[in-house]
Amino acid sequence: MRRVSILGATGSVGTSTLDLIEREPDAFEVVALTANCDVGRLAAAARRVRAKLAVVADETCLPALREALAGSGVEAAGGARAVCEAARMDADWTMAAIVGTAGLKPALAALEGGGTVALANKESLVSAGEVVTREVARHGATLLPVDSEHNAIFQCFESDNADQVSRIILTASGGPFRERSLDEMRGITPEQAVAHPNWSMGAKISVDSATLMNKGLELIEAFHLFPVAPEQLDVIVHRQSVIHSMVEYADGSVLAQLGSPDMRVPIAHALAWPRRMATPCQRLDLTRIGRLDFEAPDHARFPCLRLAREALAAGGARPAVLNAANEVAVAAFLARRIGFLEIAAIVADTLERYDPAAPATLDQVLAIDAEARNIAGERVKDCVA
Ligand code: NDP
């Protein structure tokens, strides 16, 4: 029996993780499930898998959670601190799938026990990469990448030959607006932006995919997960999302991982690692797919990718500022307060206005994150005015 916890259990990644766990009830014992405030989904999942504890980060939702769990034997708790306490419980394996920087402290709390943390929450590595990797080493924990690209790289990366890796090539679907002109992108609605052609995901990452900021965040994520220099990280647009990423070696060999675009494949890899487990995912039928296409990303129409690459090259606090400004801008876009193209403009402006020294501690990262959010928030108000 493997003892597992899921942080962000009501989201897209969390739900896919539960789906796999529920298919093998004898293999997993569920310790804790957390959400922000989706009480209905959280309580139903906690009852089904007989979790020990269910936690809502938003404390105002705790009375409803208590009511929904009455008589189930599942304990209920509320508040951001309770989420971290749940993450510290003695699970062998924790899925870190809270969206945004809100997932940083819970992910760090999960690492404290020295177990395995499957990381979907890329924003925590983008804003606090050095802090997170230092904590992994300090606690002797194992960090497994769940993002499909990084999981693919993990499967292709020969650690014993790390010095012979010449390039990591991240594939990008190009998002729903791959072929739209800048002018056509101006009037894009949140509904259009979250309708990803290949993947079914939460709203924030879907918008990030549409702006290509997601690929930019992934460049920074890859830099922290694998021992390569920023110049060794490339992005290629591959619209079918069949090849999930590639690793090129000094001898010219390129290793790729392929699969259907279903997050349950990389999640299952992390869940069973170092073994493999069965999934119900559609098998890859290459003759039906017929062809695989590749093209270079267009930085003029998708400036977020360029901004992220510049932040990675500059290092220090730049990725944290980029990430925080992007979270604020995406939330404002989803709330229909700003237009699609203003997301990149707000991120660029925030980076221009705020250039703090490199953070060395978690508190410094959080202070930079908060200040970048203030500045980006002011810019949102300017756009709305
Ligand atoms: P969703 O929006 O679908 O789910 C987010 C989860 O986080 C929900 O459980 C939500 O709870 C919870 N949550 C939101 N805000 C808070 C908060 N302040 N405190 C605690 N919990 C909170 O996101 P996804 O599942 O799509 O993505 C999760 C992470 O995984 C992101 O970092 C994303 O970039 C990454 N990822 C996602 C992929 C995907 O296919 N979806 C692929 C690769 C990476 P509630 O439901 O109550 O709001």
Side-chain angles (χ1 to χ4, degrees), residues 8-14 34-38 57 83 97-100 102 120-123 147-148 200-203 205 263:
T10 48
S12 164
V13 171
T34 80
N36 188 34
C37 192
D38 189 342
V83 173
I98 291 173
V99 61
N121 172 235
K122 64 190 87 188
E123 294 91 346
D147 220 345
S148 61
S200 156
M201 308 182 287
I205 185 176
M263 277 307 290

Side-chain angles (χ1 to χ4, degrees), residues 7-16 34-39 41-42 56-58 80 83 95-100 102-103 106 119-124 146-149 199-206 208 214 217-218 221 263 267:
L7 312 175
T10 48
S12 164
V13 171
T15 305
S16 293
T34 80
N36 188 34
C37 192
D38 189 342
V39 165
R41 200 175 275 208
L42 179 65
V56 276
D58 182 339
V83 173
M95 167 57 78
I98 291 173
V99 61
L119 189 76
N121 172 235
K122 64 190 87 188
E123 294 91 346
S124 60
V146 169
D147 220 345
S148 61
E149 294 77 1
W199 298 92
S200 156
M201 308 182 287
K204 194 258 178 184
I205 185 176
S206 296
D208 285 346
N214 183 49
L217 299 178
E218 287 177 7
E221 183 184 10
M263 277 307 290
I267 294 170

Side-chain angles (χ1 to χ4, degrees), residues 21-38:
I21 285 170
E22 289 185 73
R23 285 169 197 275
E24 297 203 18
D26 296 338
F28 302 104
E29 185 183 329
V30 177
V31 180
L33 299 180
T34 80
N36 188 34
C37 192
D38 189 342

Side-chain angles (χ1 to χ4, degrees), residues 247-379:
V247 179
E248 181 192 81
Y249 290 86
D251 60 8
S253 294
V254 177
L255 303 192
Q257 186 261 353
L258 286 70
S260 297
D262 184 329
M263 277 307 290
R264 288 176 300 180
V265 177
I267 294 170
H269 181 264
L271 192 53
W273 187 85
R275 299 172 61 84
R276 297 268 178 179
M277 66 187 279
T279 73
C281 302
Q282 200 173 35
R283 303 293 113 163
L284 200 56
D285 182 349
L286 286 171
T287 52
R288 192 180 53 76
I289 293 163
R291 56 184 268 187
L292 300 177
D293 296 287
F294 304 98
E295 62 194 87
D298 181 343
H299 290 95
R301 283 184 304 131
F302 297 100
C304 285
L305 181 57
R306 176 181 50 78
L307 291 170
R309 196 178 257 298
E310 287 168 2
L312 168 62
R318 306 302 279 163
V321 173
L322 171 104
N323 178 68
N326 182 58
E327 283 192 33
V328 169
V330 171
F333 169 68
L334 285 169
R336 296 177 207 280
R337 299 184 66 209
I338 63 168
F340 182 74
L341 294 181
E342 281 162 335
I343 297 173
I346 287 172
V347 175
D349 264 24
T350 309
L351 282 162
E352 205 162 291
R353 288 179 197 196
Y354 184 45
D355 188 11
T361 63
L362 175 61
D363 285 346
Q364 288 169 357
V365 170
L366 294 174
I368 288 167
D369 178 81
E371 181 57 16
R373 277 169 200 272
N374 284 338
I375 294 168
E378 289 304 316
R379 255 307 255 117

